[in-house]
Amino acid sequence: MTKQVTQDRALCAGLNDGQLGALEYWVTRAARLGHTQAQLQYFAIATAKYDTPEKIAADFDEIGRIRAEALAHLTAAASKGDPTALFTLASYYQKGTLSKRDPVNAYASMRLLQQEGRAVSGRNS
């Protein structure tokens, strides 16, 4: 996941403000409509413009709103059984990225990921 976020940030680095705004608009819209890949990418894209501590501090309330929406999108994608969403959610809960650290939810997400993996591998045998 870290590699993917790094790649996404590298791709976004070449975009001008107008292009970045359009990308954020369409990813946000798709995430809100329930598209799993957009839900997974929402946080990285919505925060790409906050590339300095000064920008983060200047728009702290908006960052909080983005974090809450990102958590909702990841939870929705995880509820569909998406393994990337489950892993990312577990990682974010463990680190406290989108909310306060929550080891119980981190464990629950990893446990669901493990169970989903068994279900998939069991169907393939």
Side-chain angles (χ1 to χ4, degrees):
M1 181 62 191
T2 303
K3 181 179 177 184
Q4 182 64 45
V5 170
T6 302
Q7 290 172 345
D8 291 344
R9 288 208 182 271
L11 288 172
C12 291
L15 299 176
N16 65 39
D17 289 342
Q19 292 167 319
L20 189 57
L23 175 64
E24 182 180 348
Y25 170 81
W26 289 111
V27 168
T28 300
R29 186 171 175 158
R32 288 176 180 167
L33 290 172
H35 295 278
T36 303
Q37 287 303 312
Q39 290 171 323
L40 294 172
Q41 296 299 318
Y42 172 78
F43 185 63
I45 303 245
T47 58
K49 62 186 168 242
Y50 299 104
D51 55 356
T52 66
E54 293 80 16
K55 289 180 183 177
I56 293 169
D59 215 356
F60 195 73
D61 290 339
E62 178 64 6
I63 296 281
R65 188 201 62 74
I66 290 169
R67 289 173 63 190
E69 186 169 350
L71 182 59
H73 290 315
L74 272 178
T75 302
S79 73
K80 297 180 225 174
D82 183 86
T84 302
L86 285 166
F87 181 81
T88 303
L89 201 54
S91 175
Y92 284 175
Y93 275 131
Q94 182 62 33
K95 296 176 184 175
T97 304
L98 299 178
S99 63
K100 291 187 339 185
R101 276 189 82 242
D102 189 341
V104 172
N105 271 326
Y107 175 80
S109 297
M110 286 304 282
R111 185 77 172 127
L112 281 171
L113 179 61
Q114 180 186 31
Q115 291 171 349
E116 287 291 323
R118 283 193 189 138
V120 170
S121 65
R123 280 181 258 160
N124 293 336
S125 20

